[in-house]
């Protein structure tokens, strides 16, 4: 049941809806993982990594809301429930307990890399059916790539 009817054809809506739902899941997953690592990071670079993780959480949360609202505006019900995210996220599990700062950085490098790869697939998929969604995903991916760069630089 759709209570909102957007301007896209059914075929285009299916492609765009799938891309938006996938992006939402990845962003919620990223926010949860980054916060979990944020709470458990230890080591000599604790403060800088701790603060950097909060920046990732802020980006993921802000963009997850934009992605979910874009889906709603098009007539797609966004699903950010825990079970949905756990079943479809790209990141996987993070270590339990305290996480050494160098390991925390590596967890984020890998997580961001996986999500960026999936976002780039979504950018390609949404180009023809909905350039508005594509533009939103391009902006988001640029911010994720900036975070990835920062964590990679931290790891050298």
């Amino acid at each position: 049941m759709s209570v909102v009817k957007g301007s896209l054809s059914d075929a285009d809506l299916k492609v765009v809806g799938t891309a938006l739902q996938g992006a939402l899941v990845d962003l919620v997953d990223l926010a949860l993982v980054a916060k979990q690592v944020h709470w458990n990071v230890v080591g000599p670079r604790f403060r800088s990594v701790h603060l950097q993780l909060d920046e990732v959480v802020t980006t993921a949360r802000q963009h997850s809301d934009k992605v979910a609202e874009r889906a709603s505006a098009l007539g797609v019900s966004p699903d950010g429930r825990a079970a949905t995210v756990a079943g479809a996220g790209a990141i996987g599990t993070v270590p339990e307990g305290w996480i050494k700062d160098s390991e925390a950085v590596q967890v984020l490098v890998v997580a961001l890399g996986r999500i960026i790869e999936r976002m780039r697939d979504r950018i390609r998929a949404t180009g023809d059916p909905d350039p508005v969604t594509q533009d939103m995903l391009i902006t988001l991916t640029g911010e994720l790539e900036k975070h990835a760069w920062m964590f990679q630089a931290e790891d050298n």
Side-chain angles (χ1 to χ4, degrees):
M1 172 182 122
S2 179
V3 296
V4 176
K5 177 67 176 140
S7 58
L8 299 180
S9 70
D10 288 344
D12 287 349
L13 186 60
K14 182 174 181 172
V15 170
V16 174
T18 298
L20 288 167
Q21 179 58 39
L24 177 61
V25 164
D26 283 348
L27 290 168
V28 171
D29 194 20
L30 179 60
L32 292 170
V33 165
K35 202 50 143 165
Q36 179 66 26
V37 175
H38 166 90
W39 293 324
N40 286 285
V41 67
V42 294
R45 295 180 297 164
F46 162 79
R47 182 162 173 72
S48 65
V49 173
H50 184 79
L51 294 173
Q52 215 172 342
L53 287 161
D54 261 346
E55 292 172 6
V56 171
V57 171
T58 298
T59 296
R61 287 180 178 167
Q62 287 174 344
H63 282 281
S64 65
D65 194 49
K66 291 175 186 175
V67 164
E69 288 178 356
R70 178 70 183 153
S72 293
L74 294 173
V76 176
S77 175
D79 186 355
R81 296 174 298 165
T84 302
V85 173
I91 298 173
T93 60
V94 294
E96 187 176 327
W98 303 116
I99 303 170
K100 180 113 176 78
D101 52 9
S102 58
E103 186 179 0
V105 166
Q106 194 54 41
V107 166
L108 265 290
V109 167
V110 170
L112 286 162
R114 287 180 183 161
I115 291 172
I116 289 165
E117 182 179 332
R118 288 164 53 124
M119 289 297 180
R120 287 191 163 275
D121 289 341
R122 294 175 186 123
I123 289 167
R124 284 187 283 278
T126 56
D128 286 333
D130 187 22
V132 175
T133 295
Q134 183 190 47
D135 185 56
M136 183 176 64
L137 295 174
I138 289 169
T139 299
L140 161 60
T141 302
E143 289 189 41
L144 293 175
E145 288 176 338
K146 182 177 178 184
H147 288 300
W149 161 53
M150 297 280 183
F151 275 104
Q152 289 176 42
E154 184 81 35
D155 202 27
N156 287 313

